């Protein structure tokens, strides 16, 4: 009985750790929100790829469950980057494209900006109000966030993006500008917000960003690392009780932590 109890506790600990997605930030920016996303507690690990000097390969991107892509400088290969992001979506990953990834000349282009991918299309630029109004208040991205307390950087280079057919608009700036949307496939999110860490946006803003990128679900199984089913957990528990090794099984913990990828 002790073996079963300890084994169950260890398995639930492992399941909880596995439920947190690994995040890759692909940024043409010198100040990605690594610390803010790590501090949110919504990710098992946070890695950064500098898109100013390279473009991640698909195998590199597929090591992660969720990807946040944005720009502050022109990416080295805007088309290639957009193609890789679309390939990642096709492989089952969740991608969020943020400002200035929808503003020319800093936009991330390629296939991620074609039909079925980014729900917010590249269009004209101009300032936004600085406020956010939920269109779907019950969506999980707003969980634990007080929108009236969100303060974010903005300027005249923000996009005034179009909404793609079939996409769900989640928030506007309260003055008619589309700010947050999700694609019809639910695997691509457009975030007309700049997530860089050095521009004065507040903690409530980064809580919202973490919710959007993680989809606030705490569980994003990847194609390469699926979460076991209930029947599989039952088999594992039975095996541990029979073998009697649960009492001496060490606690699992992530060793990936925060890392920075080297451009290819």
């Amino acid at each position: 009985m002790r073996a079963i109890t300890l084994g169950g506790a260890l398995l639930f600990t492992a399941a909880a750790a596995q439920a947190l997605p690994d995040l890759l930030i692909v940024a043409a920016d010198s100040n990605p929100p690594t610390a803010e996303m790590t501090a949110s507690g919504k990710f098992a690990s946070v890695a950064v790829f500098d898109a100013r000097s390279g473009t991640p390969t698909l195998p590199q991107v597929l090591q992660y469950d969720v990807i946040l892509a944005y720009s502050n400088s022109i990416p080295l290969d805007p088309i290639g980057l957009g193609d890789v992001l679309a390939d990642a979506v096709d492989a089952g990953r969740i991608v969020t494209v943020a400002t200035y990834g929808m503003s020319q000349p800093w936009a991330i282009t390629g296939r991620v900006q074609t039909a079925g991918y980014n729900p917010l299309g590249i269009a004209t630029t101009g300032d936004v109000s600085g406020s956010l109004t939920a269109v779907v208040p019950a969506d999980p991205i707003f969980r634990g966030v007080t929108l009236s307390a969100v303060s974010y950087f903005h300027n005249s280079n923000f996009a005034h993006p179009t909404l793609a057919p079939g996409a769900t608009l989640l928030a506007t700036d309260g003055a008619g500008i589309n700010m947050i949307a999700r694609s019809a496939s639910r695997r691509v999110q457009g975030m007309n917000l700049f997530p860089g860490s050095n521009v004065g946006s507040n903690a409530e803003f980064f809580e919202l960003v973490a919710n959007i990128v993680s989809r606030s679900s705490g569980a994003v199984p990847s194609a390469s690392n699926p979460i076991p089913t209930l029947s599989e957990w039952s088999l594992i528990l039975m095996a541990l009780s029979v073998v009697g090794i649960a009492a001496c099984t060490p606690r699992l913990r992530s060793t990936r932590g925060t890392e920075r990828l080297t451009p290819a």
Side-chain angles (χ1 to χ4, degrees):
M1 182 63 68
R2 181 169 179 264
I4 293 175
T5 302
L6 288 174
L10 286 165
L11 286 170
F12 282 119
T13 299
Q18 187 179 38
L20 291 176
D22 293 305
L23 167 64
L24 174 62
I25 302 173
V26 182
D29 182 34
S30 58
N31 293 282
T34 311
E36 291 85 353
M37 294 302 97
T38 300
S40 74
K42 292 180 169 63
F43 306 99
S45 68
V46 179
V48 176
F49 188 99
D50 189 343
R52 297 172 299 175
S53 56
T55 302
T57 65
L58 183 59
Q60 284 179 308
V61 172
L62 292 185
Q63 296 177 57
Y64 302 88
D65 304 299
V66 293
I67 299 97
L68 168 62
Y70 77 98
S71 62
N72 193 22
S73 303
I74 299 173
L76 180 68
D77 183 0
I79 295 174
L81 177 55
D83 288 349
V84 168
L85 294 175
D87 289 341
V89 173
D90 295 343
R93 302 308 189 264
I94 293 172
V95 171
T96 300
V97 179
T99 301
Y100 296 91
M102 295 162 286
S103 301
Q104 295 290 15
W106 311 278
I108 298 167
T109 55
R111 283 206 310 121
V112 80
Q113 299 292 4
T114 61
Y117 295 95
N118 190 6
L120 296 179
I122 298 170
T124 59
T125 58
D127 211 344
V128 297
S129 71
S131 299
L132 288 173
T133 299
V135 176
V136 187
D139 193 272
I141 67 168
F142 302 118
R143 188 177 299 146
V145 175
T146 302
L147 287 183
S148 61
V150 171
S151 176
Y152 61 89
F153 167 82
H154 57 97
N155 65 13
S156 61
N157 291 323
F158 267 50
H160 286 189
T162 57
L163 184 68
T168 300
L169 182 63
L170 300 176
T172 72
D173 73 337
I177 306 302
N178 299 326
M179 299 299 286
I180 307 169
R182 186 178 295 128
S183 69
S185 72
R186 301 183 62 84
R187 290 203 167 273
V188 189
Q189 299 171 120
M191 185 175 75
N192 191 23
L193 298 163
F194 181 68
S197 68
N198 66 327
V199 291
S201 299
N202 69 358
E204 199 78 3
F205 167 78
F206 285 109
E207 183 71 14
L208 174 63
V209 171
N211 277 0
I212 294 169
V213 174
S214 71
R215 294 180 63 178
S216 193
S217 65
V220 185
S222 67
S224 60
N225 192 25
I227 294 176
T229 65
L230 181 59
S231 60
E232 289 171 333
W233 283 129
S234 299
L235 290 173
I236 295 170
L237 282 169
M238 290 174 61
L240 285 174
S241 63
V242 170
V243 178
I245 62 169
C248 61
T249 301
R251 179 169 178 165
L252 300 179
R253 60 183 179 181
S254 173
T255 57
R256 295 179 69 173
T258 300
E259 55 185 311
R260 182 174 293 269
L261 298 185
T262 302

